[in-house]
Amino acid sequence: MDSAFLRQSLLSIAIGTIASQAIAAEKPTLTVYTYDSFVSEWGPGPQLKSAFEANCGCELEFVAVEDGVSILNRARIEGENTKADVLLGLDNGLIEETASLGLVQQHSVDNAQLTADLGWDNTQFLPFDYGYFAFVYDSKKVTTPAKSLDELIKSDAKVVYQDPRTSTPGQGLMTWLNKVYGDKTTDAWTQLNSHTVTVTKGWWEAYSLFLEGGADYVLSYTTSPAYHIVAEENDQYKAAEFSEGHVAQVEVAAISSYSDQVALANQFLAFLVSKEAQAILPVTNWMLPVIDGVELPAAFSTLVTPKQITASPSEIASARASWIRDWRNATAN
């Protein structure tokens, strides 16, 4: 090979490499704190990352913790030193406390595009999906499922649920019991504790234990059976519909007060409620979309549509500490 040609080729390669590194270095990084199942290979994280990065000219980095309450706990501990630009996976039971701690700021996304079913007017937290807490069972194993929360509490069925101190489903169950039992909630916790297999930090740990046969019921969502029908062509898993009603969960995202990527964070929040992202979320996170007009698999029409038990964010926030204390006292032994 001609030496002059070789030198020119090497120089071109070197220039190309430096240029590529420079372009990569110029890309901003948006750091999103979320929960572990969201970023699993079957969760929405990988698809959302690819779709958002295709147009943002940025790098989207997910940082996963066990569950939604853990996102709040980490952001609270880190304070102004947090690397989070967006907190994704908090829910309606945590927004009052998160806002009172000054951890998030206003977003610029128009709430008018959200489904009217949510009646959402909060401008710090943006919903990206929602659903109803439910106990899921294996219909091949449990042939006569409980028809009410009270029937399940008073049964001897093996139950697994999540810790209300770290998990939004666990907090949802805590809200559920307090709304149904009022000043008799401690007695209900004691009865439930007598046939609880274990309490896990997060949803995935509990659901995995249930699928392995470790419990008759697992705390999850009315939409969870859709995953098994669509992804596995398996309809043996059902959500028990309770006569008292079910507590709703609205999952939200918010921009950290300490983010230096506010414009990019607003772009990501707007993407979360776009038709593209809303088409991904129901068939990966197995919850309901927050905008109208999203086409869902036929399996969703087979799910229970429960009566809703209402609990406002302020009600949950004001009672949360005492509810957790009651749960700890009742389950200590």
Side-chain angles (χ1 to χ4, degrees):
M1 180 180 293
D2 180 83
S3 59
F5 177 76
L6 177 60
R7 286 196 299 274
Q8 184 60 43
S9 297
L10 292 173
L11 179 60
S12 297
I13 292 171
I15 291 173
T17 300
I18 293 171
S20 298
Q21 291 173 340
I23 292 171
E26 291 172 358
K27 281 188 174 181
T29 297
L30 186 74
T31 302
V32 177
Y33 282 11
T34 188
Y35 49 83
D36 53 10
S37 62
F38 195 91
V39 298
S40 66
E41 60 179 333
W42 42 264
Q47 290 188 52
L48 294 177
K49 175 180 170 65
S50 296
F52 184 64
E53 288 182 343
N55 295 299
C56 72
C58 71
E59 299 283 344
L60 179 61
E61 180 182 3
F62 287 118
V63 175
V65 296
E66 289 92 352
D67 214 312
V69 182
S70 298
I71 298 170
L72 169 58
N73 292 340
R74 178 161 176 172
R76 172 169 35 202
I77 292 169
E78 293 178 347
E80 63 182 9
N81 296 317
T82 187
K83 294 181 179 178
D85 296 301
V86 173
L87 307 179
L88 186 156
L90 304 171
D91 73 357
N92 48 313
L94 295 174
I95 62 177
E96 285 273 336
E97 183 173 353
T98 307
S100 69
L101 292 168
L103 297 176
V104 296
Q105 59 181 290
Q106 300 277 326
H107 64 70
S108 63
V109 181
D110 187 359
N111 284 338
Q113 62 193 299
L114 301 174
T115 179
D117 293 344
L118 293 176
W120 196 264
D121 59 3
N122 190 297
T123 55
Q124 287 185 304
F125 300 89
L126 185 71
F128 60 89
D129 64 22
Y130 76 103
Y132 299 90
F133 295 114
F135 281 94
V136 172
Y137 64 96
D138 181 346
S139 62
K140 291 187 176 180
K141 185 176 180 181
V142 178
T143 56
T144 307
K147 299 296 185 186
S148 68
L149 180 61
D150 194 52
E151 185 179 336
L152 178 65
I153 295 290
K154 293 177 178 175
S155 74
D156 59 359
K158 295 179 180 177
V159 173
V160 58
Y161 65 91
Q162 301 82 20
D163 190 328
R165 297 169 298 181
T166 57
S167 164
T168 53
Q171 180 170 270
L173 178 60
M174 186 172 69
T175 303
W176 203 353
L177 261 69
N178 277 277
K179 294 295 291 187
V180 170
Y181 289 98
D183 58 7
K184 298 186 184 303
T185 301
T186 300
D187 293 338
W189 278 127
T190 301
Q191 283 191 298
L192 179 60
N193 190 51
S194 68
H195 52 98
T196 294
V197 176
T198 190
V199 178
T200 63
K201 280 189 174 181
W203 173 86
W204 175 238
E205 188 180 356
Y207 207 81
S208 298
L209 177 63
F210 164 73
L211 292 178
E212 292 167 1
D216 299 317
Y217 292 87
V218 60
L219 178 64
S220 191
Y221 299 90
T222 58
T223 45
S224 298
Y227 162 75
H228 298 285
I229 298 172
V230 174
E232 302 174 342
E233 297 183 347
N234 182 353
D235 63 356
Q236 74 188 73
Y237 297 103
K238 312 285 186 183
E241 185 172 6
F242 288 165
S243 58
E244 301 95 335
H246 295 236
V247 171
Q249 180 186 45
V250 182
E251 292 197 291
V252 299
I255 302 172
S256 167
S257 294
Y258 308 106
S259 173
D260 58 2
Q261 300 286 348
V262 175
L264 190 55
N266 271 302
Q267 186 180 344
F268 179 65
L269 262 59
F271 166 73
L272 283 176
V273 294
S274 68
K275 288 185 177 179
E276 182 178 14
Q278 287 293 298
I280 293 172
L281 283 158
V283 292
T284 50
N285 216 33
W286 304 100
M287 296 281 274
L288 299 170
V290 295
I291 63 172
D292 296 324
V294 176
E295 186 174 350
L296 298 173
F300 278 78
S301 65
T302 69
L303 305 175
V304 299
T305 51
K307 178 176 67 178
Q308 183 175 341
I309 294 175
T310 302
S312 70
S314 59
E315 179 182 7
I316 298 171
S318 63
R320 185 165 174 257
S322 63
W323 286 354
I324 288 177
R325 185 167 55 251
D326 292 344
W327 169 78
R328 291 183 63 181
N329 290 337
T331 60
N333 298 316

